[in-house]
Amino acid sequence: DTEVTQTPKHLVMGMTNKKSLKCEQHMGHRAMYWYKQKAKKPPELMFVYSYEKLSINESVPSRFSPECPNSSLLNLHLHALQPEDSALYLCASSQGPAGGYEKLFFGSGTQLSVL
Amino acid sequence: DAKTTQPNSMESNEEEPVHLPCNHSTISGTDYIHWYRQLPSQGPEYVIHGLTSNVNNRMASLAIAEDRKSSTLILHRATLRDAAVYYCILTSGNTPLVFGKGTRLSVIA
């Protein structure tokens, strides 16, 4: 199994809603990542978890709250988002901590629309 | 952070070889060169990576200049399914993958 599974595939939410994005991998990977991608732009790193601990937060607003309950699961909790947060949210995992020769496996993403 | 420079777009005919260039003149000795691609409506996909020597795998070949200041991703026979944005990325130490603008490859039948 070399898949990273993201749910839901599409999400529409209002600015007062609370929602969560879910990401799962069963490859035994110990690092997991959240990226945000606006249309026609490259993915931008948001968070990195290594061994279930948050190791990198790229100055992401607090309305995005990551959580790593175990080594296979990564969540992104969303609260009070703005329309400009509409984007494709990508999850990825790697066998070891970020950097060097590690290769990342990406999910297909959750397309988020904030109304 | 080490940066890469790629052409914005390239075009290739189907079944022809494609050479995608990447300049990284400020590369350090510990930087790995990675290539990922992103097909329409999908997440990025690992293609290949290398440090100093040329590398081959089932998807592509990576040719690294002797001074390591540039590299070229080679697709030996382009197909319509190879149309994607190709990203050349440097990583080292604890630096995670940081994407640049990439090259949009169009393949013409």
Side-chain angles (χ1 to χ4, degrees), chain A residues 33 35 37 40-45 48 56 88 90 97-109, chain B residues 30 32 34 36 38 41-46 49 87 91-102 104:
Chain A
Y33 311 73
Y35 284 82
Q37 186 173 26
K40 306 287 188 188
K41 298 290 187 184
E44 296 175 12
L45 183 66
V48 181
I56 296 177
L88 181 68
L90 293 160
Y101 54 79
E102 288 295 335
K103 62 182 182 184
L104 269 61
F105 293 78
F106 283 84
S108 296
Chain B
T30 56
Y32 282 82
H34 290 252
Y36 283 74
Q38 189 170 19
S41 303
Q42 294 190 26
E45 172 188 33
Y46 168 82
H49 77 275
Y87 297 99
T91 66
S92 66
N94 296 322
T95 307
L97 234 54
V98 175
F99 289 81
K101 295 180 181 178
R104 183 172 298 276

Side-chain angles (χ1 to χ4, degrees), chain A residues 103 105, chain B residues 33-37 45-50 53-63 72-77 82 86:
Chain A
K103 62 182 182 184
F105 293 78
Chain B
I33 303 161
H34 290 252
W35 284 82
Y36 283 74
R37 72 179 186 180
E45 172 188 33
Y46 168 82
V47 178
I48 201 166
H49 77 275
S53 304
N54 294 344
V55 184
N56 299 300
N57 66 23
R58 64 175 182 80
M59 287 182 70
S61 296
L62 175 60
T72 302
L73 179 71
I74 303 165
L75 307 179
H76 295 287
R77 266 178 93 245
D82 291 321
Y86 286 79

Side-chain angles (χ1 to χ4, degrees), chain A residues 17-98:
Chain A
N17 292 157
K18 284 186 184 181
K19 296 286 185 185
S20 297
L21 310 184
K22 180 180 170 181
C23 174
E24 206 162 358
Q25 55 87 15
H26 297 287
M27 296 178 277
H29 287 179
R30 302 314 302 267
M32 296 186 78
Y33 311 73
W34 281 115
Y35 284 82
K36 172 183 176 179
Q37 186 173 26
K38 303 281 275 184
K40 306 287 188 188
K41 298 290 187 184
E44 296 175 12
L45 183 66
M46 300 175 72
F47 302 104
V48 181
Y49 274 82
S50 289
Y51 298 95
E52 301 163 44
K53 293 196 183 317
L54 183 65
S55 60
I56 296 177
N57 176 344
E58 291 288 302
S59 303
V60 178
S62 60
R63 56 186 184 269
F64 296 91
S65 175
E67 179 197 19
C68 189
N70 59 59
S71 60
S72 299
L73 192 55
L74 184 67
N75 298 320
L76 186 63
H77 302 297
L78 314 172
H79 173 55
L81 294 193
Q82 304 296 310
E84 58 264 29
D85 296 321
S86 298
L88 181 68
Y89 288 84
L90 293 160
C91 174
S93 69
S94 62
Q95 188 166 20

